[in-house]
Amino acid sequence: MTEYAPYEAGSTSTPSFDTPSFRILMECWRESAGGDILPEGRELQLSKLAPWMPDMSKLTLEGPFEIRYRLVGTRACERLGMDPTGKNLYEMMDPSIRDTIARSFAETVTRPCGFYGRYENVNKSGRHSAIQSLYLPLKPLPDGTPKVIGMHAPGEMIDYKSPPESAAIATAITEFTWIDLGFGTPY
């Protein structure tokens, strides 16, 4: 994994989001972390996050190139035109950037740090849309498997392409920011 560089971008310790769900997730994450480095997913204040749970996902990093969706909200599934639960995000990403993004997820759980990005997806019907996401690390599973929570928000529709066999994630990245959670960032 070290032969691949993480996504090169700026960083911040005080992100400013124009999306309320991202602000609330960041607030809940920081409150739930308390004295520990990382919060348990079940420690997040779900009552505050309830309106946006259909836009959330939980992933596990089961290997350098295996970023598995464990839970995906209904609105996120609708935007993709499919339910990616159980699928490997790495295999759904554009080959030109997936090694860099896999390394970026590895940084998220080992450093730990978060990241925010704006990117483009093509859903199962061919709809090409802008999306934005916030990813934050969580305490690993009891067997040590790292976990990440994601919040997603739709952007504008760009155009339609021929319907692909499967949804394509991050066909282009238009913005990426590392979030320093107190342990630094790659850049």
Side-chain angles (χ1 to χ4, degrees), residues 34-92:
D36 291 330
I37 294 174
L38 300 174
E40 289 278 355
R42 65 180 176 267
E43 293 172 346
L44 295 174
Q45 296 177 7
L46 297 180
S47 61
K48 287 185 176 181
L49 293 168
W52 300 287
M53 289 178 77
D55 294 305
M56 295 176 73
S57 63
K58 189 183 287 185
L59 302 101
T60 52
L61 279 67
E62 299 172 5
F65 306 107
E66 194 168 340
I67 307 162
R68 190 139 326 263
Y69 282 108
R70 289 297 171 204
L71 179 66
V72 183
T74 55
R75 281 192 300 250
C77 291
E78 288 169 7
R79 284 191 297 273
L80 283 173
M82 62 175 280
D83 182 356
T85 302
K87 298 196 180 316
N88 185 352
L89 170 64
Y90 180 83
E91 293 173 356
M92 297 173 69

Side-chain angles (χ1 to χ4, degrees), residues 11-32:
S11 66
T12 182
S13 59
T14 56
S16 173
F17 299 115
D18 58 2
T19 305
S21 60
F22 293 177
R23 286 193 305 271
I24 299 297
L25 177 59
M26 192 81 236
E27 176 185 304
C28 290
W29 189 96
R30 290 190 191 276
E31 288 172 0
S32 298

Side-chain angles (χ1 to χ4, degrees), residues 168-184:
I169 304 223
T171 57
I173 296 175
T174 56
E175 184 180 342
F176 193 102
T177 303
W178 288 105
I179 300 170
D180 187 342
L181 301 172
F183 308 96

Side-chain angles (χ1 to χ4, degrees), residues 79-158:
R79 284 191 297 273
L80 283 173
M82 62 175 280
D83 182 356
T85 302
K87 298 196 180 316
N88 185 352
L89 170 64
Y90 180 83
E91 293 173 356
M92 297 173 69
M93 287 188 286
D94 187 276
S96 68
I97 61 166
R98 66 182 177 194
D99 293 337
T100 299
I101 298 302
R103 172 66 191 277
S104 298
F105 271 99
E107 288 285 337
T108 298
V109 298
T110 58
R111 188 165 294 272
C113 59
F115 67 86
Y116 163 81
R118 289 181 185 262
Y119 53 98
E120 298 172 11
N121 287 350
V122 178
N123 78 7
K124 193 100 162 97
S125 71
R127 182 182 169 124
H128 180 199
S129 300
I131 302 289
Q132 56 181 322
S133 296
L134 169 64
Y135 289 101
L136 298 168
L138 296 171
K139 277 187 184 171
L141 295 170
D143 68 2
T145 302
K147 296 186 305 186
V148 174
I149 191 165
M151 179 69 76
H152 316 285
E156 67 280 353
M157 202 259 315
I158 298 168

